[in-house]
Amino acid sequence: MRKTPFHIQSRRSFLKSSIAGAAVAVALPAGAFAQAKVLKVAGIYTVPVEQQWVSRIHIAAVAAQERGDIEYTYSENTANTDYPRVMREYAEQGYDMIIGEIFGVEQEAREVAADYPDVAFLMGSSFKEDPALANLSVFDNYVQDASYLSGIIAGAMSESGKIGMVGGFPIPEVNRLMHAFMAGAKEMNPDIAFQVSFIGSWFDPPKAKETAYAMIENGADLLYAERFGVSDAAKEKGILAIGNVIDTQPDYPDTVVASAIWHFEPTLDAAIAKVQAGTFTAEDYGTYSFMKEGGCSLAPYGTFEGKIPQEALDLVAKRTEEIKSGAYTVTINDEEPKSS
């Protein structure tokens, strides 16, 4: 585990532009929280903050700090075996809220939370909230709306009708995104075929890259990059990719056509407001990631403007409005996806 204060992290160029943009995007009216307590918030992450999923939490926390709502510090690369200990350390230090991900340490983390009823815990989890544990709320990145839209683009851009999909682990938060993406692709091409593989890691770019190579050898001409490393393989082999959670097109301008973006700000801001108001309790914050809540979006097409079939663009626009209005609902399927 390495504890890294924000002033050191700010030197990391990978997150600089995203953090600056988030600070502007979520800026609130002056004095909105003028009378509210500035919360001490700690993040605990099992991977580097550059990793897609965690980076979205980190960016939202930095924005809240720059806005003046919280004082934020974090620990990254925390092993699951150390996670409960780090939770206790922050709780003992008087932090008001602890955020992070307990997918691999559910029982132990909930036992720690029970020992500190005055500390609010907002944790990524595959399980639901427990009313008996009032100070622990759960969340997940329910960005199936944006994933579905990115699938429409993928279905229109694949010429071979073969798409490769590389994920970390077949857990609900990954499975639902893949299923939504596949549903979108099938709207453009009902006969499209998928190769699906999981690398058994949240951060192993070389392994993800090798898995993607194999899919390309098997005929895939477009890849779903749920993990880092996949877009590198696509770039090297001259095929296209669809991003996930973050917008990587600036790094792969000729490769990444579109990306489903997760915005953690609505989730974190709702929790901050409730802690400040003294109303924080056990809840499932998953719906704050829905498109209608501002929790996800489809990234700008950038260098692919004018290169995507109009039929796909029209359907994306139509579905976007329907999703926001509630007229169309993207199916949430948490079962493990299979290859065609």
Side-chain angles (χ1 to χ4, degrees):
M1 181 200 74
R2 177 176 48 159
K3 184 180 291 186
T4 311
F6 165 68
H7 72 276
I8 293 177
Q9 170 58 20
S10 64
R11 296 199 298 265
R12 294 182 175 175
S13 59
F14 182 87
L15 292 177
K16 272 186 177 179
S17 60
S18 295
I19 289 171
V24 172
V26 300
L28 296 182
F33 286 135
Q35 304 303 316
K37 173 186 176 182
V38 176
L39 305 179
K40 289 181 62 179
V41 175
I44 310 174
Y45 312 121
T46 61
V47 293
V49 292
E50 290 92 346
Q51 189 259 11
Q52 298 105 302
W53 194 87
V54 163
S55 74
R56 306 310 296 175
I57 302 172
H58 178 71
I59 288 169
V62 170
Q65 175 171 259
E66 293 185 348
R67 199 171 62 217
D69 291 341
I70 68 174
E71 294 177 2
Y72 170 59
T73 191
Y74 64 93
S75 296
E76 60 183 351
N77 296 315
T78 304
N80 283 329
T81 52
D82 286 335
Y83 209 96
R85 175 183 59 79
V86 179
M87 289 175 66
R88 288 188 183 279
E89 288 180 355
Y90 280 127
E92 290 288 344
Q93 292 171 29
Y95 279 82
D96 301 295
M97 181 162 66
I98 297 174
I99 59 178
E101 14 115 16
I102 58 173
F103 297 102
V105 63
E106 293 278 356
Q107 181 177 341
E108 298 91 336
R110 291 169 187 257
E111 290 173 356
V112 173
D115 290 339
Y116 298 93
D118 294 330
V119 179
F121 293 87
L122 179 65
M123 294 294 184
S125 171
S126 292
F127 296 91
K128 295 300 182 181
E129 75 281 9
D130 180 358
L133 190 57
N135 63 322
L136 189 145
S137 285
V138 298
F139 67 86
D140 209 339
N141 63 329
Y142 283 86
V143 299
Q144 66 281 342
D145 297 331
S147 294
Y148 164 78
L149 297 178
S150 72
I152 293 174
I153 301 300
M157 297 297 286
S158 174
E159 296 180 0
S160 70
K162 296 180 180 180
I163 293 178
M165 306 181 69
V166 182
F169 292 92
I171 67 171
E173 66 123 339
V174 174
N175 297 345
R176 72 176 68 104
L177 307 189
M178 285 189 164
H179 277 296
F181 172 88
M182 296 163 82
K186 287 181 177 179
E187 283 225 36
M188 297 306 299
N189 179 1
D191 299 322
I192 208 157
F194 301 95
Q195 301 175 53
V196 181
S197 184
F198 298 92
I199 63 172
S201 172
W202 290 131
F203 195 74
D204 191 344
K207 188 172 184 179
K209 189 175 181 180
E210 288 301 319
T211 303
Y213 280 149
M215 292 178 173
I216 297 170
E217 289 295 321
N218 284 330
D221 69 345
L222 188 145
L223 299 173
Y224 176 74
E226 199 271 328
R227 293 292 100 194
F228 276 153
V230 177
S231 294
D232 292 301
K235 178 181 178 181
E236 291 181 14
K237 296 298 184 179
I239 70 168
L240 302 178
I242 298 292
N244 178 61
V245 177
I246 62 175
D247 183 5
T248 55
Q249 194 186 78
D251 298 317
Y252 307 93
D254 299 318
T255 303
V256 176
V257 185
S259 299
I261 308 300
W262 183 30
H263 305 290
F264 190 67
E265 288 79 5
T267 302
L268 181 59
D269 292 351
I272 289 172
K274 291 181 181 181
V275 174
Q276 289 174 326
T279 59
F280 186 89
T281 189
E283 294 182 57
D284 181 356
Y285 281 66
T287 56
Y288 288 103
S289 292
F290 287 18
M291 182 171 286
K292 64 182 180 181
E293 299 291 342
C296 67
S297 67
L298 194 61
Y301 304 124
T303 55
F304 281 87
E305 286 283 358
K307 301 177 183 178
I308 301 170
Q310 190 61 45
E311 180 186 4
L313 296 177
D314 291 343
L315 182 56
V316 166
K318 179 175 183 289
R319 290 290 191 238
T320 297
E321 291 305 313
E322 291 174 339
I323 290 170
K324 289 181 178 180
S325 70
Y328 185 86
T329 300
V330 176
T331 300
I332 297 176
N333 185 348
D334 288 347
E335 296 180 1
E336 181 176 344
K338 304 293 184 181
S339 297
S340 301

